[in-house]
Amino acid sequence: ATRGRDPEVIAAAILAGGCARLQLRAKEGSDRARLALAERLRARGAAAAVPFVVDDRAGLAAPVGAEGLHLGLDDLPTAAARRIVGGIEIGRNSHDPAQARQAERDGADLVAFGPVFATTSKAAPDPVVGVEALAEVCVAARRPVVAIGGITLERAAAIRDAGAALGAVISALCGADDPELAARALHHALGGAP
């Protein structure tokens, strides 16, 4: 997703541009390498006063002192992850309204919903849910909703207008020619401070 560029360089650019959270999504590599990268990214996030989130791995989030953990549907149940990471923010993926409601019942602090648009970040993405379904989940949810999947600058206003508290972006940031500029524009379009 970083087009072969150093993830730390991309993270620094995104932090300089602006973001509400910095998340490490590292599906490959050794645990030792992921731990070292997570520690460095956590430090960068702390220096910028931006919460650091680890994707999928409660056992990695806890030792680096991450402020958040994002769980997919096939990851640990929320209660089991909570026993590992304590009181940090836990987000849980959902792909339909029933899964979103279940994520809340299970104790997720954030409900990720999507893919709202077609995504290129996953090898086998789930079916697109669309902006209308996102808006319905945002209205019904008692927890903040994070829109996921295919978010670009051109689509950011639709995500914001649907009621999503946050938008999770990979390709439009990590694949951008200028990740700092892309982060600044996306952060502002999603409702963050300019």
Side-chain angles (χ1 to χ4, degrees), residues 44-99:
R44 285 185 181 273
V50 172
F52 177 65
V53 178
V54 171
D55 190 62
D56 296 340
R57 302 176 60 103
L60 182 60
V64 300
E67 289 88 2
L69 173 67
H70 176 80
L71 298 170
L73 293 173
D74 294 330
D75 295 330
L76 286 175
T78 304
R82 181 75 66 203
R83 288 192 294 274
I84 296 168
V85 300
I88 71 171
E89 182 179 79
I90 295 179
R92 170 73 66 183
N93 270 6
S94 63
H95 305 303
D96 63 48
Q99 290 174 352

Side-chain angles (χ1 to χ4, degrees), residues 94-96 113-120 125-134 148-150 155:
S94 63
H95 305 303
D96 63 48
F113 186 74
V116 179
F117 305 103
T119 179
T120 59
D126 290 284
V128 170
V129 298
V131 175
E132 190 173 301
L134 172 65
I148 58 174
R155 297 169 173 163

